[in-house]
Amino acid sequence: SAVISQKPSRDICQRGTSLTIQCQVDSQVTMMFWYRQQPGQSLTLIATANQGSEATYESGFVIDKFPISRPNLTFSTLTVSNMSPEDSSIYLCSVWGGGNQPQHFGDGTRLSIL
Amino acid sequence: AQSVTQLDSQVPVFEEAPVELRCNYSSSVSVYLFWYVQYPNQGLQLLLKYLSGSTLVKGINGFEAEFNKSQTSFHLRKPSVHISDTAEYFCAVSGGSEKLVFGKGTKLTVNP
């Protein structure tokens, strides 16, 4: 399966600031996704990162808050903008190679907002 | 649309005991089903998947799951657990597209 590197692994940020999370995969993949896992909760899909075009956001998530880039088939970034304590979560990148392949996940970014 | 219900939020068991983590799904189309495990401070790791064919699916670390279409279930089992199996387990469903819908997770605690 693909090797996924997600950076940073954790961070503590001040409210009102922004943080960009990087996701790098070691092979070209069909699709990349970003999920949020709030404390003690399950995973919620934020958006699908589309190569060379705007990301596709799920209901409740907007581009101004969570801008996403995917400049090529192996790399994507998620920015959490104007952070508040409610944004304290684990953010996970996943990749999908197409067909019957399952999604594979990075180790996540553990974000705390003070 | 798909949905997943994990019936137990927490399951405590003793080491070497058998365990079953329950998962029911709802879907109007054929489904792909997955179990993922999340160890503390880590991402999600795929345990096993059901795509088609045999309803008994074997995964890593001695886990297996059985797809039951009539009961819309995909329960995860292990005949003898170890301390190292302590983790959170997520059941997920896909309706044939790439999108995954996750259950709320079951925390498995294996006690000595």
Side-chain angles (χ1 to χ4, degrees), chain B residues 56-72:
Chain B
L56 184 62
V57 180
K58 294 189 182 297
I60 62 171
N61 301 340
F63 283 93
E64 63 181 31
E66 186 161 16
F67 171 62
N68 188 318
K69 187 175 182 179
S70 62
Q71 297 187 5
T72 60

Side-chain angles (χ1 to χ4, degrees), chain A residues 19-38:
Chain A
L19 178 74
T20 296
I21 303 167
Q22 298 181 0
C23 180
Q24 177 77 55
V25 62
D26 68 344
S27 59
Q28 293 185 353
V29 292
T30 302
M31 302 189 80
M32 300 179 77
F33 304 92
W34 288 98
Y35 290 83
R36 181 175 72 182
Q37 186 180 20
Q38 294 178 300

Side-chain angles (χ1 to χ4, degrees), chain A residues 30-105:
Chain A
T30 302
M31 302 189 80
M32 300 179 77
F33 304 92
W34 288 98
Y35 290 83
R36 181 175 72 182
Q37 186 180 20
Q38 294 178 300
Q41 302 296 315
S42 186
L43 283 79
T44 302
L45 181 63
I46 297 172
T48 302
N50 300 310
Q51 193 262 329
S53 64
E54 192 172 288
T56 304
Y57 290 85
E58 298 298 306
S59 176
F61 297 96
V62 296
I63 188 172
D64 289 346
K65 177 67 176 177
F66 298 103
I68 288 170
S69 76
R70 190 181 174 194
N72 56 52
L73 293 175
T74 64
F75 184 78
S76 178
T77 66
L78 167 74
T79 299
V80 186
S81 302
N82 188 25
M83 289 183 286
S84 66
E86 293 71 35
D87 294 319
S88 296
S89 295
I90 303 172
Y91 293 86
L92 296 118
C93 165
S94 77
V95 302
W96 183 62
N100 291 337
Q101 299 181 50
Q103 285 187 31
H104 293 282
F105 288 79

Side-chain angles (χ1 to χ4, degrees), chain B residues 72-97:
Chain B
T72 60
S73 67
F74 191 55
H75 301 332
L76 181 71
R77 302 185 182 101
K78 186 169 182 178
S80 176
V81 293
H82 303 287
I83 297 285
S84 59
D85 292 322
T86 294
E88 188 152 21
Y89 292 79
F90 292 94
C91 182
V93 63
S94 170
S97 73

Side-chain angles (χ1 to χ4, degrees), chain B residues 3-5 23-27 31 33 67-69 72-73 93:
Chain B
S3 66
V4 176
T5 302
C23 173
N24 286 92
Y25 69 92
S26 172
S27 177
V31 295
L33 292 156
F67 171 62
N68 188 318
K69 187 175 182 179
T72 60
S73 67
V93 63

